[in-house]
Amino acid sequence: MRSRNAVKGLALLLALCLLAVLAGCGAKQQAQEKAPLVKTMQVGAGGQTSAGTYAGTVRGRYETNMSFQVGGQILSRNVQAGSRVQPGDVLMVIDAKDVVQKANQGDAAVEQARAQLELAQKNLSRYTQLYDESAVAASVLDQYQANYDAAFASYQNALAQAAQGHNAVGYTNLTAGAAGVVSAVNAEEGQVVAAGQPVLTLVQTDELEIEINVPENQLASVPVGKDVTVTFWALSGRVPGVVREVSPMADSAARTYRVRVSVPNPPEGMELGMTASVSVTDEAADTDGYIVPLSAIYQTGDTPQVWVVGSDDTVSLKDVSVESFDANNVRVHGLEAGDILVTAGVHRLTEGQSVRTEDEGKGDAS
């Protein structure tokens, strides 16, 4: 009896083991048949598609490093950083004593040159009369004519130098040429400055704009005259902007290009130094092609292709033509708005293979 029960137990145990093995094989087969998960992106569905958003700062279009046209010691500084000024306001004053002395010196030089000119004129008149009476040779008259011409030139030079000296007296006051705000002060009272040495920076506030830095692989998306959208961290709403200026050279350290964006209708409250975001858009059109990641290109022969995910979640190859490319992206023709492309692992797929997509991997191509 015990022997028969033992045999039944052993048979039951073997049956359970066999079921477990079969279940494991089925699970493995099901796992093997599960469609692979791929990273995808959706080609822009016409209209405007984003080509990039760049952080920027509100700057003045005209920022002037102001300096005195003459050197001297600063007697007074009437502004500080943040001061708002109007045209004609005196910003700084330097000691005019030395400049006045140079002006007086110029006046004295004029008087001396005038005396020399009068003497040369009298000698020329005298010897002209003697020459008319045939009392002196022509060579003697030519000598006194040359002396007069030289004295006249010296007099004109003295007048010019005296005028320059009097102009310099007016340069001892540094005045604002336009309305604006003082953004930096580089000199203090009592400091001796040289002519042309920057002492402060004046930013004209009548025309503000945004300065951004664009990497070289995106420079083609921000040509001069390009319409962009500007938002401000401290202000609500969006305002249109226009690319006004693109630096011809990249920054030597950051390798980015400085781009200035004008704001024709600035929002109320827009101030210098505010943080702004500039969104650049591209007009997606078949003639312009679409920018896709370089990793989406599948090429085994002469024709580049991309894997397109169909409505039934299967992939198929689609021929494209390459217009241009950089280190990370490529502009292609032959795609349609709304196409879903595989952007990673393209060399592991086969025609008609079922795949699973991630919504997180989808983006817009321009």
Side-chain angles (χ1 to χ4, degrees), residues 331-351:
R331 183 179 289 274
V332 299
H333 296 271
L335 297 177
E336 297 179 1
D339 282 347
I340 299 177
L341 310 183
V342 178
T343 60
V346 295
H347 293 284
R348 296 195 298 268
L349 301 176
T350 58
E351 186 73 23

Side-chain angles (χ1 to χ4, degrees), residues 30-352:
Q30 184 179 2
Q32 290 175 355
E33 293 177 354
K34 190 175 183 180
L37 183 66
V38 295
K39 186 177 181 180
T40 60
M41 64 173 291
Q42 185 176 17
V43 175
Q48 290 188 336
T49 56
S50 177
T53 300
Y54 306 96
T57 305
V58 178
R59 304 287 296 270
R61 177 171 181 176
Y62 301 103
E63 300 181 3
T64 307
N65 292 322
M66 303 192 66
S67 59
F68 288 99
Q69 293 181 249
V70 294
Q73 185 181 41
I74 298 177
L75 292 181
S76 64
R77 175 171 67 85
N78 304 327
V79 294
Q80 59 186 357
S83 298
R84 294 188 176 274
V85 299
Q86 298 299 323
D89 289 351
V90 178
L91 310 179
M92 287 187 182
V93 178
I94 62 173
D95 193 347
K97 288 186 296 185
D98 292 339
V99 181
V100 171
Q101 290 300 323
K102 288 184 179 180
N104 295 337
Q105 188 178 13
D107 291 339
V110 169
E111 294 301 323
Q112 181 181 5
R114 180 183 290 112
Q116 295 294 331
L117 178 61
E118 291 176 354
L119 177 61
Q121 186 176 12
K122 291 178 180 179
N123 289 335
L124 178 61
S125 298
R126 185 181 300 113
Y127 276 88
T128 299
Q129 184 178 0
L130 292 175
Y131 175 75
D132 293 340
E133 297 173 356
S134 300
V136 295
S139 59
V140 176
L141 179 63
D142 292 341
Q143 178 181 354
Y144 281 95
Q145 180 66 50
N147 291 341
Y148 172 79
D149 293 340
F152 182 78
S154 297
Y155 177 68
Q156 294 295 324
N157 182 57
L159 286 176
Q161 290 186 351
Q164 185 177 12
H166 285 286
N167 290 339
V169 175
Y171 298 152
T172 57
N173 290 344
L174 185 64
T175 58
V181 60
V182 177
S183 63
V185 177
N186 305 320
E188 299 295 337
E189 294 182 8
Q191 182 177 344
V192 177
V193 295
Q197 177 181 341
V199 294
L200 60 83
T201 301
L202 179 64
V203 180
Q204 297 184 27
T205 54
D206 57 345
E207 189 170 356
L208 300 179
E209 57 187 19
I210 314 299
E211 181 178 294
I212 60 176
N213 294 288
V214 178
E216 54 188 281
N217 63 340
Q218 296 295 329
L219 189 62
S221 65
V222 286
V224 174
K226 175 72 176 180
D227 292 329
V228 298
T229 302
V230 182
T231 58
F232 299 89
W233 184 75
L235 305 175
S236 60
R238 299 170 177 264
V239 293
V242 180
V243 176
R244 182 187 65 82
E245 178 184 88
V246 179
S247 175
M249 295 184 62
D251 182 84
S252 58
R255 305 309 304 168
T256 56
Y257 288 79
R258 182 176 58 85
V259 176
R260 287 290 187 110
V261 177
S262 63
V263 183
N265 299 307
E268 185 178 357
M270 177 178 171
E271 298 291 345
L272 287 170
M274 279 188 171
T275 302
S277 294
V278 177
S279 298
V280 181
T281 57
D282 278 339
E283 292 293 335
D286 183 63
T287 55
D288 294 337
Y290 298 94
I291 297 177
V292 301
L294 193 59
S295 59
I297 301 300
Y298 175 82
Q299 185 169 0
T300 57
D302 297 332
T303 303
Q305 298 173 308
V306 294
W307 288 105
V308 178
V309 181
S311 58
D312 57 352
D313 290 334
T314 61
V315 294
S316 60
L317 285 173
K318 191 171 188 177
D319 293 343
V320 295
S321 60
V322 176
E323 176 186 343
S324 60
F325 63 91
D326 54 37
N328 300 309
N329 301 306
V330 58
R331 183 179 289 274
V332 299
H333 296 271
L335 297 177
E336 297 179 1
D339 282 347
I340 299 177
L341 310 183
V342 178
T343 60
V346 295
H347 293 284
R348 296 195 298 268
L349 301 176
T350 58
E351 186 73 23

